[in-house]
Amino acid sequence: MKLSLNTQIFIGALLGVLAGWVIAAGKGSAAAEGGLYVAGLLGGLFVDLLKMVLVPLVFCAITVGVANLRAHRQMHRVWRLTLGFFVFSMALAMLLGMGAASLFEPGKGMSLDALQGGTASASPLTLPQFVEKFLRGLFVNPFTALAQGNVLAIVVFALFVGIALVAGGERYRNILQLLQEALELVLRIVGWVMRLAPLGIMALLTQLVATQDLTLFASLGTFVGVVVGSTLLHGVVVLPLILYLVTGMTPLRFWRGAREALLTAFATSSSSATLPVTVRCTEQHLHARPEIAGFVLPLGATLNMDGTALYEAVAALFVANLVALELNLMQQGVVFATAMLAAIGAPGIPSAGMVTLVMVLQSVGLPAEAIALLLPIDRPLDAIRTVVNVEGDMVGSLVVQKWLADKEE
Ligand code: ASP
């Protein structure tokens, strides 16, 4: 009997968690160290493979997506609907998180001492500095951007190329065809990489479970509970509900199609590294049109982060409680707005949200040193929020596709 890839990945994930526990239990022994080394190496190689296909994939998917959309005279609508959906779903996520945080008040009564003695590893940025840094990062020499794997800058350049291809029409037919074939080629390679996913995900989860200090995780109980609970609520109830209401797709059908991508997101903690898998699942399993998914997903991987927005907002309220600062409605509004900007500005890489969190804290005068308290427990929280970030992108492309179809009728 041949197991489906989905089943293999699932078994790999379970074995990974088990192996992680075993290694954590045998900490210090030569066998455990050896196991951890192998898991680190294999997991690292799997992520390398995903990153290898990421840059050509983003570039080809966006240019081809834009070129095909323009041909249908839909471009301006897709833009509006996509960005509208991103803002809407991130706002919902943050409202959920902030609502839960004001209900359970994580951090109330905890001692401020925990903040002292630690140093923040992230360099503090004020809001204007952050906005400037974000804007100045948009237009980059394409070769530098491609070589550095700077996804946002690649997306921007690919948008220009896509639009120029359309403006030039027939004249650039060959280039467009070349890019179309390149995209197919890259997706074929993604298919090969995915065959290694069961092993890669197993190794990554082994490493995650074996190296996590769970006692620390538990000591920040209410905060972790609020973050995990509201993130899951958003991912398990809100997003599937939106999807169902707009497209009629049942949550079960969605999860079945999205599973490979969601597990990869959990194991890698990176929306960008997961993107090749996200595109594959959305187009092949969930049957999104390539020109829509090819546009919405790469853009979403860097801009649309429901889980990160939620996390940043809740973390700011948590830190405010820790230092016994009552945030008034206006300040909560500032947290809301900066948390959304921080999520948009965070690249889709592990713990990126931690770095941009500094800006949210500073926007209402909270100590950036609080990062020292949050960093050690970030790995598992990052895994969970990345799953919801990726889920939001997939739901987004299906919703945008349906909205477009409705308007065409
Ligand atoms: N790791 C997240 C992602 O790639 C970003 C974050 O740190 O919140 O989506």
Side-chain angles (χ1 to χ4, degrees):
M1 186 187 68
K2 185 150 175 20
L3 296 175
S4 75
L5 184 60
N6 256 332
T7 317
Q8 289 178 31
I9 290 179
F10 194 67
I11 295 174
L14 286 182
L15 289 178
V17 172
L18 272 179
W21 270 328
V22 172
I23 289 181
K27 219 177 203 143
S29 73
E33 294 301 317
L36 199 56
Y37 171 79
V38 174
L41 187 65
L42 288 179
L45 284 173
F46 177 60
V47 174
D48 286 349
L49 280 169
L50 288 172
K51 286 194 184 152
M52 178 182 82
V53 284
L54 171 69
V55 167
L57 176 75
V58 172
F59 183 72
C60 300
I62 292 244
T63 41
V64 171
V66 173
N68 289 336
L69 284 176
R70 283 293 280 226
H72 292 125
R73 299 185 190 291
Q74 290 170 326
M75 193 58 213
H76 61 289
R77 271 204 220 125
V78 181
W79 261 117
R80 274 206 313 257
L81 294 176
T82 304
L83 295 184
F85 179 84
F86 287 176
V87 170
F88 169 72
S89 65
M90 280 193 279
L92 275 185
M94 283 191 295
L95 287 177
L96 200 70
M98 290 173 85
S102 40
L103 199 66
F104 295 104
E105 304 191 309
K108 267 265 157 78
M110 234 170 104
S111 105
L112 178 63
D113 299 347
L115 283 184
Q116 281 150 12
T119 48
S121 68
S123 61
L125 277 185
T126 61
L127 182 61
Q129 282 169 337
F130 176 81
V131 172
E132 184 183 342
K133 187 160 172 271
F134 178 71
L135 292 177
R136 298 295 306 271
L138 291 180
F139 309 112
V140 176
N141 168 356
F143 297 99
T144 310
L146 290 167
Q148 292 177 342
N150 177 344
V151 178
L152 188 60
I154 298 174
V155 166
V156 172
F157 183 70
L159 287 174
F160 278 110
V161 175
I163 293 171
L165 278 175
V166 177
E170 273 302 283
R171 179 189 291 246
Y172 304 130
R173 202 184 50 214
N174 291 340
I175 299 188
L176 178 56
Q177 192 171 355
L178 180 81
L179 287 168
Q180 249 152 0
E181 286 176 15
L183 178 61
E184 277 172 30
L185 194 80
V186 175
L187 282 171
R188 185 177 291 255
I189 301 176
V190 173
W192 294 340
V193 175
M194 282 315 289
R195 296 215 199 127
L196 297 176
L199 196 65
I201 287 177
M202 177 174 126
L204 287 167
L205 290 183
T206 302
Q207 200 187 13
L208 172 69
V209 172
T211 52
Q212 197 54 56
D213 183 358
L214 287 177
T215 44
L216 204 60
F217 200 63
S219 72
L220 293 170
T222 324
F223 170 66
V224 170
V226 169
V227 170
V228 173
S230 44
T231 308
L232 288 181
L233 199 63
H234 187 72
V236 177
V237 178
V238 178
L239 284 174
L241 189 67
I242 297 175
L243 182 68
Y244 179 70
L245 291 179
V246 177
T247 70
M249 184 183 285
T250 60
L252 230 67
R253 187 159 173 267
F254 171 73
W255 282 318
R256 213 172 288 144
R259 203 158 39 178
E260 284 171 15
L262 301 182
L263 264 173
T264 310
F266 188 86
T268 60
S269 282
S270 165
S271 304
S272 292
T274 308
L275 187 58
V277 191
T278 318
V279 171
R280 187 183 126 97
C281 288
T282 316
E283 291 182 5
Q284 295 181 2
H285 302 181
L286 299 170
H287 308 292
R289 277 166 34 206
E291 65 267 29
I292 309 272
F295 174 78
V296 177
L297 294 175
L299 210 60
T302 74
L303 301 186
N304 182 37
M305 298 196 177
D306 294 8
T308 305
L310 186 155
Y311 174 79
E312 308 234 353
V314 174
L317 300 189
F318 171 60
V319 175
N321 282 340
L322 282 184
V323 297
L325 187 80
E326 282 282 340
L327 294 181
N328 60 29
L329 211 60
M330 178 62 186
Q331 286 166 314
Q332 293 196 21
V334 173
V335 167
F336 183 88
T338 44
M340 185 174 300
L341 278 179
I344 290 174
I349 55 174
S351 283
M354 224 47 214
V355 179
T356 56
L357 176 62
V358 176
M359 177 193 89
V360 184
L361 296 178
Q362 293 194 331
S363 70
V364 281
L366 293 167
E369 287 71 24
I371 298 279
L373 187 67
L374 300 176
L375 252 183
I377 57 160
D378 194 46
R379 189 65 182 85
L381 293 179
D382 192 14
I384 296 170
R385 65 179 187 257
T386 309
V387 173
V388 174
N389 289 347
V390 168
E391 183 186 358
D393 300 339
M394 299 177 98
V395 168
S397 50
L398 295 168
V399 165
V400 167
Q401 170 162 305
K402 176 71 175 132
W403 278 341
L404 269 180
D406 286 349
K407 287 202 172 172
E408 267 167 10
E409 273 162 14

